Structure formats: C-alpha cells, structure tokens
Amino acid sequence: MVKNISLLLTFLCLFISFSCKQNQEIEFNADKTFPDATNLMELEETEFLATLESEVNKDKNAIYAASLLFAWNEIKNAIGQPIISFENPELERMNESSSYINVLAKDEYITRVEIDLPQITAEAYFRKSLPFMEPFHKYEVSFLFKNDNVESFGLFGANYNVALLKYYKNDNDFAIELIPQDEEHEILLIKTSFEQKFALIDVIDAYRDKIQSWINNRTEKNSWKYYLSDEDQLKVPIIEFNIAHNYTNIEKSFFSTTEMPHQITKMFQQTAFILNENGAEVESYAEIAEECVEEIEEEDLQKPKKLFFDSEFIILLKRRDNSYPYFAMYVANAELMKKMEK
C-alpha cells in the first residue's frame, strides 16, 4: 500500500429472500491493512448506526456508512410496491431517510440488483482514496484521551497544506479540516459538547449554522480565531478497527407492502477503519435478508489554540457539494484507538 494514501472502501450487499430456504452469505475479506475482525458483541463501548438520524448514546462510539441506505433504496426499487407499514421504528427510519442521497457522485459507487425469484439480491459498493496533501507528524509520546494513553498525530503551528480551521469558539468547541488531495472531498473533525442522547444529523446541521454565524461575527479584535497561527497545536488520536455486527434490533421485524407482509431475517454489517498520520481508510459491508410471509462568551484575547481531540468528537468523510457524509463516526471513548504505554 502506498504511504500517505487515505483509502475509503465500502462494500454493501442486501440479500432478500422470498422463500424459507437457507440464505447463502456473501463473503467479505478485509484488506491486510486492517486489524483482524472483531464481533461487536465483544465490544462494550461501540455501536453501529443504520442512519444519520439514528439515536446515539453519548457514552458509546457510533459508526455509520451510507452504503446501507444505498442498498436499501435498491431493495425498495426492486420490490416495486409502496411500503405502507413497519413494525420496527429503526427500519422505518431507514426507509424515510434522505441524508444519503447524492453523498457520492454517480461514478463513485456501484449498485447491482439481481432478481432470481423468490430471491432478490442488491449490492452497493464504493471505494475512495483520499491521500492527505502531505503526512502529519506522528507523536512519539502518549496522548491522553480522557483517561487512556493512546497514539496520536497532528502538527505544531500553521501548515495550510494539511489542515484548515473551519470553526473556532474555544478549545472545546471547534472544527478542523484535514486536507486531502481530492478537491471534491473533505475530512472534517468536529469537537463540541453533546447531549446524552442525540442524532448525528442534528450535530451536522447545527455545525452548518455555527459556521455561518462564526463567519458573520468576525471582527478585527477576534480575527485570531479565524486562522491557525504558528503557536497553535493539533493532536488527533489514531483510530483503527474491523468490526462485524448483526443488527439484532432489526432482525425478525416485519414490514408490509400494499400486497403482502415481509420479514427481515438477517441484517449484517462489517466495517473496518483506520485514521492515522497518513490518512483515513474505511471498508464496509452489509447484508439484509427478508422473507415474504403473511454556554457564555469568552473575552476575545488572543492565545495559542490547543486543538486537542481529547474528548468526544465526530469524524466526517464527505463531498464538498453535499452537506451530509458517506462515512461518519462519533468518537466517545478510546475502545477503538491505538493504545500506548506511559
């Protein structure tokens, strides 16, 4: 693998069966770049999200990839009948979501539907390489994320080839862009305060409003908040994981079209992700099977900014021409970070 390459790879398959026969699982092989696969049941502090609208628990990491909704959309089109009711609110949320639309250009992902009644198979796949403009510095000393010592990368001083300040209120409320070579895409890190229960889409929408207000409120006195200076410092924890998960909260639930009821018999997803000084890499696969059945302002005194992602923050990989990401992660704890001894 070429160094300094940020690679985004998402593979998704939705499998629909209209009979009770045994479903054949589609094989998923993660690249050797990623860690060995772990079942989500073995992790206590991480969860998967089906949509940006899904509820997030502030204390748990949350992982989202839009490929699930790409494939669900293909399934809806293949069924060809209006879906009129859902037993499961999360599946209904998937059906109603529009935040995945146009998050990738038409030539950046592939979908495929195979109809072999009584079975329908739908797949969605995308792979995106986002090398940074140049690599970040990897720190040799440990970085404290909450109470855990982890590995990290970042920079000291301003380097507009690798990072831009997108928003800054204070050291606990700011956003940074890590600059990829692909000018149509961006990697955003947002640190702010979070409610105990929230949805990623609400944070993203609020971030857009913050940006506009921030731009409008620039003055000569507070202009230091609008750029990186030679005294500012950035630190980002290194994250890597490869997780497999069955959405047991959705499996076995029913939905109905105008002609017949259906049941989700299987919903599986595997996602692998790395964020380090060279870039971000992500790979995601999913499978679904169903059966037909019956605060206060501070003084604007200039000071060095400590842009430390040492508590809850969000990672977004997105196109610049769309408000919503094709990959997002809420980072709440160090469970998926590379640990470092003191």
Side-chain angles (χ1 to χ4, degrees):
M1 183 179 130
V2 179
K3 191 177 180 181
N4 302 336
I5 292 293
S6 167
L7 179 67
L8 179 63
L9 174 62
T10 298
F11 179 80
L12 181 82
C13 176
L14 272 74
F15 181 83
I16 290 198
S17 171
F18 290 93
S19 69
C20 296
K21 68 180 182 179
Q22 182 68 31
N23 299 329
Q24 297 296 316
E25 183 173 320
I26 297 175
E27 186 177 1
F28 170 73
N29 293 312
D31 188 273
K32 292 181 180 179
T33 302
F34 299 110
D36 293 336
T38 300
N39 193 292
L40 187 65
M41 293 182 65
E42 299 175 28
L43 302 172
E44 297 181 354
E45 300 179 300
T46 299
E47 62 187 3
F48 276 27
L49 303 177
T51 72
L52 289 175
E53 294 84 1
S54 301
E55 185 177 78
V56 178
N57 183 333
K58 180 182 178 181
D59 300 323
K60 289 191 174 185
N61 300 318
I63 299 160
Y64 162 83
S67 49
L68 185 65
L69 295 174
F70 289 161
W72 175 250
N73 186 62
E74 294 295 337
I75 291 298
K76 291 191 296 182
N77 292 338
I79 290 175
Q81 303 167 10
I83 301 176
I84 58 174
S85 65
F86 293 87
E87 180 186 63
N88 187 288
E90 188 68 358
L91 186 60
E92 183 175 13
R93 190 174 290 114
M94 286 177 58
N95 193 64
E96 294 176 349
S97 177
S98 61
S99 58
Y100 69 96
I101 297 174
N102 297 327
V103 294
L104 286 171
K106 292 295 184 182
D107 61 353
E108 291 180 318
Y109 70 99
I110 299 170
T111 60
R112 182 180 69 87
V113 177
E114 180 179 347
I115 301 177
D116 184 17
L117 295 177
Q119 180 174 296
I120 299 176
T121 302
E123 295 174 321
Y125 172 90
F126 68 84
R127 180 180 184 127
K128 186 66 185 176
S129 180
L130 295 174
F132 290 149
M133 291 296 291
E134 53 185 83
F136 285 85
H137 171 72
K138 185 177 186 297
Y139 292 104
E140 298 301 323
V141 297
S142 64
F143 175 58
L144 191 65
F145 184 91
K146 295 188 173 179
N147 296 318
D148 292 280
N149 289 286
V150 300
E151 296 186 17
S152 65
F153 68 93
L155 59 83
F156 187 87
N159 184 341
Y160 297 108
N161 289 325
V162 297
L164 291 176
L165 187 63
K166 302 292 288 185
Y167 164 81
Y168 180 84
K169 180 179 180 181
N170 55 51
D171 288 349
N172 292 306
D173 192 357
F174 62 88
I176 289 286
E177 177 186 350
L178 309 182
I179 303 175
Q181 292 179 14
D182 190 334
E183 296 180 353
E184 295 183 343
H185 292 255
E186 59 185 342
I187 301 170
L188 293 176
L189 307 183
I190 303 172
K191 181 181 178 182
T192 189
S193 60
F194 298 91
E195 301 292 335
Q196 190 60 42
K197 300 284 186 179
F198 66 95
L200 286 176
I201 195 168
D202 294 332
V203 177
I204 295 168
D205 289 342
Y207 165 73
R208 283 204 311 275
D209 294 339
K210 281 184 177 182
I211 287 286
Q212 192 57 53
S213 177
W214 182 64
I215 293 172
N216 294 339
N217 290 329
R218 180 168 183 169
T219 66
E220 182 177 352
K221 184 179 179 182
N222 70 8
S223 62
W224 63 275
K225 291 185 174 183
Y226 290 77
Y227 60 89
L228 292 175
S229 75
D230 291 338
E231 296 182 341
D232 296 339
Q233 190 172 10
L234 170 67
K235 290 187 178 182
V236 182
I238 292 176
I239 297 171
E240 57 178 41
F241 61 82
N242 181 1
I243 305 172
H245 172 54
N246 281 84
Y247 288 85
T248 55
N249 62 320
I250 299 178
E251 290 176 339
K252 308 303 182 184
S253 62
F254 292 83
F255 67 96
S256 297
T257 64
T258 53
E259 294 187 5
M260 63 187 68
H262 305 260
Q263 184 181 38
I264 299 295
T265 58
K266 182 177 183 181
M267 180 177 286
F268 170 84
Q269 188 169 30
Q270 183 170 348
T271 299
F273 178 73
I274 293 176
L275 176 67
N276 60 26
E277 69 276 12
N278 298 317
E281 299 191 38
V282 59
E283 184 173 14
S284 181
Y285 164 91
E287 179 180 345
I288 299 176
E290 63 89 5
E291 292 182 353
C292 173
V293 294
E294 301 293 328
E295 73 196 86
I296 299 175
E297 291 295 326
E298 299 177 347
E299 291 185 13
D300 290 323
L301 300 177
Q302 184 168 355
K303 60 181 181 179
K305 305 180 195 72
K306 293 183 178 181
L307 306 171
F308 295 173
F309 289 90
D310 56 1
S311 62
E312 294 89 351
F313 69 98
I314 287 175
I315 303 168
L316 304 177
L317 275 60
K318 60 183 288 295
R319 288 185 57 87
R320 295 185 187 279
D321 59 6
N322 197 294
S323 298
Y324 298 118
Y326 45 88
F327 173 82
M329 179 181 178
Y330 168 67
V331 184
N333 55 71
E335 187 171 48
L336 304 178
M337 296 178 186
K338 287 196 70 176
K339 305 302 190 299
M340 179 182 282
E341 299 297 329
K342 294 183 180 179

